[in-house]
Each structure stands twice: as C-alpha cells, then as structure tokens.
Amino acid sequence: MQGSVAPTPHLRRIGGAIAIASVVAILFATLLPAPDQSLDSHLCLVCGTRGGVDAILNVLLFLPLGIGLALSGVPWKRAILTSCALSITLEATQFFFIPGRDATLGDVLTNTVGGAVGFAVANNSAIWLRTPPRIAAVLGMVWCGIWLAIQAISSFAFSPSIPDSKEYGQIARKFENLEAFPGQVLDARLGAIAITDTELRETDSVGHRVLGGGTLTVIVLSTKPTTGIAPIVRIADDQQREILLLAQDEQQLLFAVRTGAAILRLRPPLFAMPHVFAGSIAETGSSSSQPLRLTARYDGRESQLTARTPSMTRRRDIRVSAALGWTLVLPFQWYIEDTPMELAISLIWTACLTVPIGYLGVCIARRTNTHWSPEGVALGLVAGAATLIAGLVVIPHVFGLPAASMRDWSAVVLGIVGGGALAAYDGKRRRAEEIVDPVVVGAVSESGWLS
C-alpha cells in the first residue's frame, strides 16, 4: 500500500478539510448523552439489542476520516493508528464522563475498520475509477456477492421469527422508557385467542398464528394523543423478548412483529398508520369516547392495519420488500408507512446498490486488443440475469417475502445502466487524453522546451 495519494497541495488541502470535518462530526455523534443501554460486558464485539446497527454506523462514521487522511498524504500505518487512537480516546471519555454512553471493544474495532476502509478506498482511487478488465472481473464478482448478501440480510430481517418459548400477554402496561396508554382496552384477541395479562397457553402459540396470517383485534376507548410510544397490547416471552406490539405514538397506530432483524440486532420493522387516535378518527362522530376497533396482521409479505369507529373506517396495506432494507440500519427508528418519500428513498437505495455492477461490467467488457466472442457475451448476459433473478426473486421467496416489484426491477436496471454509462464516459475521456497527450508532448519537444 502506498504511503500517499496526494501528489498536489490542492488534494492535500481537500484531504485536510475532510479529516477536520470528519473529526467534528465524530465528536458530535459520540460525545452527546444518550438513553441508558444495558450491556453484559464492555468487551463485547456486537453489543446490545441494536449491536448490528451500531457496528455498521461505526464503520460509516470513521470512513470519511480515513479518506481525508489518505488525501492528506498520511502514511497508511499512521492513518490506522490515528483512527484507533481517536476511537480509544472517545470510548474512554464515554466510559468516564458521558451519561448513557457505553464504551465497548466492538466500537473501537469497528471504528478502526471504518478508518482503514476509507483510507484504502481513497488510496486506491485510480483502481476504482479506471479499473483494468481483469481487476474489474474480480471486483464485479465480489460486489455481486455483497449485493446478494444485502438482499438476503434484508429479506431475512423482514421475515417473522418467533422464538419457541413461554409467551405472556401484557395489556396497556407502563414500562420504564415508554408511556402509559391513556385510554382503556376493552378486548384483545389474536385470532380466536383472548390476550390478557397472563401466560398464554402452549396451544395458543403466537408464532403459529402469526405465521399463519392471524389477525390481532383490539377494541379500545382512546382519550387523547400521547407524546411518545404507549403500548396497548404487547406479547413477550419469558426472556423479555418482544414478540408482538400494538401501540400508540401521538396520533399514530404502531404495529410490530418480531422478525429476523432482532436476531441480526438491526432496527425492527415498525409499521404505522397516522391520524388514528384522539384528534382524528377516534373523535369522528358524535362522541370522542366511542369504541375504536383496531386490527393488525403481518405475514412477511405485507402489513395490514385497520381502524374503525361506528362512523368511519381507515385501512393501510403496506407491502414489504428487500428494497426497504435501508430502514433497518438508520441511527433512529423509522416508521414504515408506504409514503411517496419512502418509495423514493427505496428506489434510490436499490439503484445505488447496482451502480457498481453496471460500472464494473463495462470495465470488464473494455478490451484493447481483443474482442469478446459471442459465447463470452452470452455467458456474461446469462450470469448477470441469473444474479438479478437470485437477488430479486429467489432470495425473497426463500424468506417468505414477495418477489421484487416492477418498480424495484426498474430501479435495478436504472442503476446498472447509470453505472455502465459512467464507465463508458470515463473510457471515452481516457481515450481522448491518450490521443491529445502525445500531440502536446511532441509539440513541446519540437519547440525546444524539453531540450
């Protein structure tokens, strides 16, 4: 690995600015107080119920620092040591002085990895931007594997995952970090099972009924909006793992079922329908205290939420796909509502993930002295089609999700075409430079400037 990729003072100044801005962002993100978290050990690598999210965010947080250090001309060993030393300093500060922050060995390792990855990306920018065909072939296969892994992780994270354990119903309970439901629960059922504040019978397995598409039906009297999340009905097991949740957040109805995201320690999918409680549908009609009938179900393919009063009905069907994977790794909880903004972000996320496939594909096809045979072209097209079908159809089906929609397919194609166009433009510019440079050099030589 080279010690510097900053041949000009201009790049060094840019790198210094990136490094300084990155340190400021890191300090802001890590030294503010946070809600208390319970950890078993400070030596854990993936810590807490959101450990997977923390690991990903730690890598991304230190990525710009590595890029800035590389552009500044800092040698790679010193850059990695700088990332590690900064992380250790921050973790020690959190441990001794910052309330609610937990210092862990995993944070130090992932922060250091983020800095190292950022340095490697910037230090080898010539390879990423102008990739030779052989290297592009290797990188293309690696990225296809990463893309398939992202599709598999996202699909698994949205798939219901109910542990085989004792299950307990909890009706409108007040938890330490949550609000108390301000209304009254008149009835709660999962299918034909009555949910009460007691242990559920083994024959009333929640997992079996959720996977079978069972509907949670709750009748409440709602009095006012809340300022935060207030559980209405919650089902947990004997290890306090949340299996099912129906809750109110201000005027929104929230619904969640335990999925693979809990196993991966990512953000749990939390579905929402706005304007349900006091001040909206609950107050429509002759009296604000009329019963409100809530239903919710989730089978891995879609979430259905319904709110009914004697005079009005509202329903929201939220289709689930791997394109929503970005909601699992945010630094805050996202409520999935199937809004236009949500759709736009999902399409951008899907397209961006496939840009490298198109870019590297064109780099692979770029040959200087030889041409692809018809058999080689056909093999490449078949391999590419098989990869897309595996990621958009087969993997979601394995985890019980629907195949990718036409919008997802369109976003994938757009990303591939965009990446290919970017590589083609770069290749055209390179050829123009190769033609111009000898002419310029020759003219300078004839003028005597090089003698």
Side-chain angles (χ1 to χ4, degrees), residues 199-231:
E199 179 182 348
L200 301 180
R201 297 176 300 174
E202 293 184 5
T203 55
D204 295 338
S205 170
V206 173
H208 174 73
R209 294 182 180 273
V210 169
L211 296 176
T215 299
L216 176 66
T217 303
V218 181
I219 300 176
V220 303
L221 292 176
S222 178
T223 58
K224 62 180 181 179
T226 63
T227 58
I229 297 178

Side-chain angles (χ1 to χ4, degrees), residues 44 46 57 72 74 93 105 113 135 148 232 254 301 345 377 382 397 423 427 429:
C44 57
V46 181
L57 294 179
S72 299
V74 176
T93 304
L105 177 61
V113 168
I135 296 179
L148 291 174
I232 302 172
L254 304 182
R301 304 179 68 86
I345 297 175
V377 173
V382 169
H397 176 74
R429 188 179 63 176

